[in-house]
Short mmCIF file of all heavy atoms in Angstrom, two decimals:
data_model
loop_
_atom_site.label_atom_id
_atom_site.label_comp_id
_atom_site.label_asym_id
_atom_site.label_seq_id
_atom_site.Cartn_x
_atom_site.Cartn_y
_atom_site.Cartn_z
N SER T 24 -4.14 29.97 -5.12
CA SER T 24 -5.24 29.03 -4.85
C SER T 24 -5.67 28.28 -6.05
O SER T 24 -5.98 28.85 -7.08
CB SER T 24 -6.41 29.74 -4.18
OG SER T 24 -6.03 30.29 -2.90
N ILE T 25 -5.74 26.94 -5.93
CA ILE T 25 -6.30 26.11 -6.98
C ILE T 25 -7.29 25.17 -6.31
O ILE T 25 -7.30 24.92 -5.09
CB ILE T 25 -5.22 25.29 -7.73
CG1 ILE T 25 -4.60 24.19 -6.80
CG2 ILE T 25 -4.15 26.17 -8.32
CD1 ILE T 25 -3.81 23.16 -7.58
N ALA T 26 -8.16 24.54 -7.14
CA ALA T 26 -9.09 23.52 -6.70
C ALA T 26 -8.72 22.25 -7.43
O ALA T 26 -8.53 22.28 -8.63
CB ALA T 26 -10.54 23.94 -6.97
N THR T 27 -8.69 21.16 -6.67
CA THR T 27 -8.45 19.84 -7.28
C THR T 27 -9.61 18.88 -6.92
O THR T 27 -10.13 19.01 -5.84
CB THR T 27 -7.07 19.22 -6.93
OG1 THR T 27 -7.04 18.96 -5.50
CG2 THR T 27 -5.97 20.15 -7.25
N ILE T 28 -9.92 17.99 -7.84
CA ILE T 28 -11.07 17.09 -7.63
C ILE T 28 -10.63 15.66 -7.73
O ILE T 28 -10.01 15.25 -8.72
CB ILE T 28 -12.15 17.38 -8.70
CG1 ILE T 28 -12.47 18.86 -8.78
CG2 ILE T 28 -13.39 16.58 -8.40
CD1 ILE T 28 -13.35 19.29 -9.92
N TRP T 29 -10.95 14.83 -6.68
CA TRP T 29 -10.39 13.47 -6.63
C TRP T 29 -11.52 12.50 -6.24
O TRP T 29 -12.42 12.80 -5.49
CB TRP T 29 -9.27 13.44 -5.55
CG TRP T 29 -8.19 14.33 -5.81
CD1 TRP T 29 -7.99 15.62 -5.32
CD2 TRP T 29 -7.01 14.06 -6.62
NE1 TRP T 29 -6.87 16.14 -5.82
CE2 TRP T 29 -6.21 15.22 -6.56
CE3 TRP T 29 -6.56 12.94 -7.36
CZ2 TRP T 29 -4.99 15.33 -7.26
CZ3 TRP T 29 -5.37 13.00 -8.04
CH2 TRP T 29 -4.61 14.20 -8.04
N MET T 30 -11.36 11.25 -6.74
CA MET T 30 -12.27 10.19 -6.41
C MET T 30 -11.92 9.52 -5.15
O MET T 30 -11.45 8.35 -5.07
CB MET T 30 -12.31 9.16 -7.62
CG MET T 30 -13.51 8.24 -7.61
SD MET T 30 -13.51 7.03 -8.95
CE MET T 30 -13.73 8.14 -10.34
N ALA T 31 -12.09 10.25 -4.03
CA ALA T 31 -11.83 9.71 -2.69
C ALA T 31 -12.77 10.27 -1.74
O ALA T 31 -13.31 11.42 -1.96
CB ALA T 31 -10.35 10.09 -2.28
N GLU T 32 -13.12 9.56 -0.68
CA GLU T 32 -14.11 9.96 0.27
C GLU T 32 -13.60 11.08 1.24
O GLU T 32 -12.40 11.14 1.51
CB GLU T 32 -14.53 8.77 1.15
CG GLU T 32 -15.26 7.72 0.29
CD GLU T 32 -15.76 6.54 1.20
OE1 GLU T 32 -15.36 6.50 2.37
OE2 GLU T 32 -16.44 5.68 0.66
N LYS T 33 -14.52 11.91 1.67
CA LYS T 33 -14.19 12.91 2.70
C LYS T 33 -13.84 12.22 4.04
O LYS T 33 -14.47 11.23 4.38
CB LYS T 33 -15.35 13.82 2.90
CG LYS T 33 -15.58 14.83 1.77
CD LYS T 33 -16.78 15.75 2.15
CE LYS T 33 -17.02 16.79 1.07
NZ LYS T 33 -18.10 17.71 1.48
N LEU T 34 -12.94 12.78 4.71
CA LEU T 34 -12.69 12.32 6.08
C LEU T 34 -13.71 12.96 7.02
O LEU T 34 -14.02 14.14 6.90
CB LEU T 34 -11.25 12.74 6.56
CG LEU T 34 -10.11 11.91 6.01
CD1 LEU T 34 -8.77 12.51 6.42
CD2 LEU T 34 -10.18 10.48 6.57
N ASP T 35 -14.21 12.18 7.96
CA ASP T 35 -15.25 12.67 8.88
C ASP T 35 -14.72 13.88 9.66
O ASP T 35 -13.61 13.83 10.21
CB ASP T 35 -15.64 11.56 9.82
CG ASP T 35 -16.45 10.45 9.10
OD1 ASP T 35 -16.95 10.76 8.04
OD2 ASP T 35 -16.54 9.35 9.69
N ASN T 36 -15.55 14.90 9.71
CA ASN T 36 -15.27 16.07 10.61
C ASN T 36 -14.02 16.81 10.18
O ASN T 36 -13.46 17.56 11.00
CB ASN T 36 -15.22 15.65 12.05
CG ASN T 36 -16.48 14.95 12.54
OD1 ASN T 36 -17.55 15.39 12.15
ND2 ASN T 36 -16.33 13.90 13.31
N GLN T 37 -13.52 16.62 8.95
CA GLN T 37 -12.36 17.39 8.51
C GLN T 37 -12.73 18.12 7.20
O GLN T 37 -13.14 17.50 6.25
CB GLN T 37 -11.17 16.45 8.26
CG GLN T 37 -10.66 15.86 9.62
CD GLN T 37 -9.28 15.30 9.45
OE1 GLN T 37 -8.41 15.94 8.85
NE2 GLN T 37 -9.07 14.12 10.06
N TYR T 38 -12.49 19.40 7.22
CA TYR T 38 -12.86 20.22 6.10
C TYR T 38 -11.88 20.05 4.91
O TYR T 38 -10.72 20.23 5.05
CB TYR T 38 -12.84 21.69 6.50
CG TYR T 38 -13.31 22.65 5.42
CD1 TYR T 38 -14.64 22.61 5.00
CD2 TYR T 38 -12.49 23.60 4.89
CE1 TYR T 38 -15.07 23.47 3.94
CE2 TYR T 38 -12.91 24.49 3.91
CZ TYR T 38 -14.22 24.39 3.47
OH TYR T 38 -14.67 25.29 2.52
N ARG T 39 -12.44 19.59 3.79
CA ARG T 39 -11.71 19.42 2.57
C ARG T 39 -10.50 18.50 2.69
O ARG T 39 -9.46 18.71 2.01
CB ARG T 39 -11.29 20.74 1.98
CG ARG T 39 -12.49 21.68 1.70
CD ARG T 39 -12.11 22.73 0.63
NE ARG T 39 -13.11 23.76 0.54
CZ ARG T 39 -14.32 23.63 0.10
NH1 ARG T 39 -14.70 22.47 -0.37
NH2 ARG T 39 -15.15 24.63 0.06
N GLN T 40 -10.62 17.50 3.56
CA GLN T 40 -9.53 16.49 3.64
C GLN T 40 -10.15 15.17 3.20
O GLN T 40 -11.27 14.81 3.50
CB GLN T 40 -9.03 16.34 5.08
CG GLN T 40 -8.35 17.58 5.56
CD GLN T 40 -7.09 17.95 4.85
OE1 GLN T 40 -6.26 17.08 4.52
NE2 GLN T 40 -6.93 19.18 4.41
N LEU T 41 -9.38 14.38 2.41
CA LEU T 41 -9.87 13.13 1.79
C LEU T 41 -9.15 11.96 2.39
O LEU T 41 -8.00 12.05 2.85
CB LEU T 41 -9.75 13.17 0.30
CG LEU T 41 -10.38 14.35 -0.43
CD1 LEU T 41 -10.29 14.16 -1.92
CD2 LEU T 41 -11.83 14.53 -0.05
N ASP T 42 -9.85 10.80 2.41
CA ASP T 42 -9.30 9.55 2.89
C ASP T 42 -8.61 8.85 1.75
O ASP T 42 -9.20 8.13 0.93
CB ASP T 42 -10.41 8.73 3.43
CG ASP T 42 -9.88 7.43 4.11
OD1 ASP T 42 -8.70 7.20 4.01
OD2 ASP T 42 -10.71 6.67 4.66
N TRP T 43 -7.31 9.04 1.60
CA TRP T 43 -6.53 8.47 0.48
C TRP T 43 -6.34 7.00 0.71
O TRP T 43 -6.24 6.25 -0.33
CB TRP T 43 -5.20 9.20 0.32
CG TRP T 43 -5.35 10.65 0.10
CD1 TRP T 43 -5.13 11.67 1.04
CD2 TRP T 43 -5.82 11.31 -1.06
NE1 TRP T 43 -5.38 12.89 0.46
CE2 TRP T 43 -5.85 12.71 -0.81
CE3 TRP T 43 -6.26 10.87 -2.32
CZ2 TRP T 43 -6.23 13.66 -1.74
CZ3 TRP T 43 -6.65 11.81 -3.25
CH2 TRP T 43 -6.64 13.15 -2.97
N ASN T 44 -6.22 6.54 1.92
CA ASN T 44 -5.93 5.11 2.13
C ASN T 44 -7.03 4.21 1.69
O ASN T 44 -6.77 3.04 1.30
CB ASN T 44 -5.67 4.88 3.67
CG ASN T 44 -4.39 5.52 4.13
OD1 ASN T 44 -3.40 5.57 3.41
ND2 ASN T 44 -4.42 6.10 5.35
N ASN T 45 -8.25 4.67 1.65
CA ASN T 45 -9.39 3.82 1.21
C ASN T 45 -9.75 4.05 -0.23
O ASN T 45 -10.67 3.47 -0.78
CB ASN T 45 -10.61 4.06 2.08
CG ASN T 45 -10.48 3.38 3.44
OD1 ASN T 45 -9.75 2.42 3.60
ND2 ASN T 45 -11.11 3.96 4.49
N ALA T 46 -8.99 4.96 -0.91
CA ALA T 46 -9.23 5.17 -2.34
C ALA T 46 -8.71 3.99 -3.11
O ALA T 46 -7.81 3.26 -2.71
CB ALA T 46 -8.58 6.46 -2.78
N ASP T 47 -9.18 3.82 -4.36
CA ASP T 47 -8.65 2.78 -5.26
C ASP T 47 -7.15 2.99 -5.50
O ASP T 47 -6.68 4.13 -5.44
CB ASP T 47 -9.39 2.80 -6.59
CG ASP T 47 -10.80 2.27 -6.47
OD1 ASP T 47 -11.14 1.62 -5.50
OD2 ASP T 47 -11.58 2.49 -7.45
N LEU T 48 -6.47 1.96 -5.76
CA LEU T 48 -5.03 2.04 -5.94
C LEU T 48 -4.63 2.99 -7.04
O LEU T 48 -3.66 3.75 -6.93
CB LEU T 48 -4.45 0.60 -6.22
CG LEU T 48 -2.92 0.50 -6.30
CD1 LEU T 48 -2.29 0.97 -4.97
CD2 LEU T 48 -2.52 -0.92 -6.61
N ALA T 49 -5.42 2.97 -8.14
CA ALA T 49 -5.14 3.90 -9.23
C ALA T 49 -5.21 5.42 -8.79
O ALA T 49 -4.44 6.18 -9.19
CB ALA T 49 -6.04 3.66 -10.41
N ILE T 50 -6.22 5.64 -7.93
CA ILE T 50 -6.42 7.02 -7.45
C ILE T 50 -5.28 7.42 -6.51
O ILE T 50 -4.77 8.51 -6.55
CB ILE T 50 -7.77 7.16 -6.73
CG1 ILE T 50 -8.94 6.71 -7.64
CG2 ILE T 50 -7.97 8.57 -6.21
CD1 ILE T 50 -9.05 7.56 -8.90
N GLN T 51 -4.85 6.48 -5.68
CA GLN T 51 -3.70 6.74 -4.79
C GLN T 51 -2.46 7.09 -5.58
O GLN T 51 -1.70 8.00 -5.28
CB GLN T 51 -3.41 5.52 -3.95
CG GLN T 51 -4.50 5.24 -2.88
CD GLN T 51 -4.13 4.09 -1.99
OE1 GLN T 51 -2.98 3.99 -1.50
NE2 GLN T 51 -5.09 3.25 -1.69
N ARG T 52 -2.25 6.33 -6.73
CA ARG T 52 -1.09 6.58 -7.56
C ARG T 52 -1.18 7.94 -8.25
O ARG T 52 -0.21 8.71 -8.37
CB ARG T 52 -0.97 5.47 -8.60
CG ARG T 52 -0.44 4.15 -8.05
CD ARG T 52 0.06 3.24 -9.19
NE ARG T 52 -1.01 2.83 -10.08
CZ ARG T 52 -1.53 1.60 -10.08
NH1 ARG T 52 -1.13 0.67 -9.24
NH2 ARG T 52 -2.50 1.30 -10.95
N GLU T 53 -2.41 8.32 -8.68
CA GLU T 53 -2.62 9.60 -9.32
C GLU T 53 -2.29 10.72 -8.30
O GLU T 53 -1.64 11.67 -8.70
CB GLU T 53 -4.12 9.74 -9.75
CG GLU T 53 -4.47 8.94 -10.97
CD GLU T 53 -5.94 9.04 -11.25
OE1 GLU T 53 -6.66 9.75 -10.58
OE2 GLU T 53 -6.33 8.39 -12.28
N ARG T 54 -2.75 10.54 -7.10
CA ARG T 54 -2.50 11.58 -6.06
C ARG T 54 -1.00 11.73 -5.78
O ARG T 54 -0.49 12.85 -5.73
CB ARG T 54 -3.29 11.23 -4.79
CG ARG T 54 -3.04 12.29 -3.68
CD ARG T 54 -3.52 13.69 -4.08
NE ARG T 54 -3.25 14.64 -3.04
CZ ARG T 54 -3.46 15.93 -3.18
NH1 ARG T 54 -4.00 16.45 -4.29
NH2 ARG T 54 -3.19 16.76 -2.20
N VAL T 55 -0.33 10.58 -5.60
CA VAL T 55 1.14 10.61 -5.36
C VAL T 55 1.83 11.26 -6.51
O VAL T 55 2.75 12.11 -6.31
CB VAL T 55 1.64 9.18 -5.07
CG1 VAL T 55 3.19 9.20 -5.03
CG2 VAL T 55 1.14 8.69 -3.73
N GLY T 56 1.52 10.88 -7.76
CA GLY T 56 2.10 11.40 -8.98
C GLY T 56 1.91 12.90 -9.09
O GLY T 56 2.87 13.66 -9.35
N PHE T 57 0.71 13.39 -8.83
CA PHE T 57 0.43 14.81 -8.91
C PHE T 57 1.24 15.60 -7.86
O PHE T 57 1.90 16.62 -8.23
CB PHE T 57 -1.06 15.09 -8.72
CG PHE T 57 -1.45 16.54 -8.75
CD1 PHE T 57 -1.51 17.21 -9.93
CD2 PHE T 57 -1.68 17.23 -7.59
CE1 PHE T 57 -1.88 18.52 -10.02
CE2 PHE T 57 -2.00 18.60 -7.60
CZ PHE T 57 -2.11 19.25 -8.86
N THR T 58 1.26 15.15 -6.68
CA THR T 58 1.98 15.84 -5.61
C THR T 58 3.47 15.84 -5.94
O THR T 58 4.12 16.89 -5.80
CB THR T 58 1.78 15.06 -4.27
OG1 THR T 58 0.39 14.90 -4.10
CG2 THR T 58 2.39 15.85 -3.15
N ARG T 59 3.97 14.72 -6.37
CA ARG T 59 5.44 14.65 -6.70
C ARG T 59 5.79 15.52 -7.87
O ARG T 59 6.83 16.18 -7.83
CB ARG T 59 5.75 13.17 -6.93
CG ARG T 59 7.26 12.95 -7.11
CD ARG T 59 7.55 11.44 -7.16
NE ARG T 59 8.96 11.23 -7.46
CZ ARG T 59 9.42 10.04 -7.68
NH1 ARG T 59 8.65 8.94 -7.63
NH2 ARG T 59 10.72 9.87 -7.93
N GLY T 60 4.93 15.48 -8.89
CA GLY T 60 5.22 16.32 -10.08
C GLY T 60 5.25 17.77 -9.73
O GLY T 60 6.12 18.51 -10.21
N PHE T 61 4.37 18.24 -8.86
CA PHE T 61 4.30 19.61 -8.43
C PHE T 61 5.58 19.98 -7.63
O PHE T 61 6.17 21.03 -7.88
CB PHE T 61 3.08 19.91 -7.60
CG PHE T 61 2.91 21.36 -7.27
CD1 PHE T 61 2.21 22.20 -8.10
CD2 PHE T 61 3.52 21.93 -6.15
CE1 PHE T 61 2.03 23.53 -7.80
CE2 PHE T 61 3.37 23.28 -5.84
CZ PHE T 61 2.67 24.08 -6.69
N MET T 62 5.97 19.09 -6.77
CA MET T 62 7.15 19.34 -5.90
C MET T 62 8.40 19.39 -6.76
O MET T 62 9.35 20.15 -6.42
CB MET T 62 7.30 18.25 -4.87
CG MET T 62 6.13 18.20 -3.89
SD MET T 62 6.09 19.58 -2.73
CE MET T 62 4.91 19.03 -1.52
#
Side-chain angles (χ1 to χ4, degrees):
S24 295
I25 69 167
T27 63
I28 309 171
W29 301 92
M30 196 181 292
E32 294 181 353
K33 289 183 177 180
L34 282 173
D35 291 340
N36 303 320
Q37 294 197 41
Y38 185 64
R39 302 205 192 287
Q40 296 297 313
L41 304 186
D42 185 355
W43 302 105
N44 292 323
N45 285 333
D47 287 344
L48 186 59
I50 304 299
Q51 293 184 41
R52 287 196 295 253
E53 288 176 0
R54 179 61 184 176
V55 169
F57 178 78
T58 308
R59 187 173 175 185
F61 187 91
M62 296 291 192

